[in-house]
Amino acid sequence: VWASEWTHNAMLRFDPASLPWLQLWHDMRPSVCVLAFEPCSVGRDMPLPLLAPGEAVSTSLSLLLAD
């Protein structure tokens, strides 16, 4: 769907306690026009946390698309 044709609403929900950072990525070249929102657990210049064997982390997010 081309951006000029998009007439719907979108909502991205996530828990900021487990995903405190939101990264934005876009490519606005003609015929590409991509926009991405990426909730994440660490900032871009931060070291990645390491999980111990058997350790788990749970997060959740939802995407609602509506007319």
Side-chain angles (χ1 to χ4, degrees):
V1 176
W2 294 104
S4 62
E5 299 171 0
W6 182 259
T7 59
H8 305 287
N9 297 310
M11 181 186 311
L12 177 64
R13 291 184 182 183
F14 58 93
D15 181 6
S18 62
L19 297 169
W21 299 92
L22 182 66
Q23 293 184 7
L24 173 64
W25 180 86
H26 65 282
D27 185 343
M28 303 306 285
R29 290 178 294 164
S31 301
V32 177
C33 206
V34 174
L35 176 64
F37 295 95
E38 180 183 357
C40 48
S41 58
V42 296
R44 184 182 344 197
D45 297 327
M46 301 174 81
L48 295 175
L50 298 177
L51 297 178
E55 186 178 8
V57 174
S58 295
T59 62
S60 66
L61 62 90
S62 64
L63 176 62
L64 174 66
L65 302 174
D67 289 333

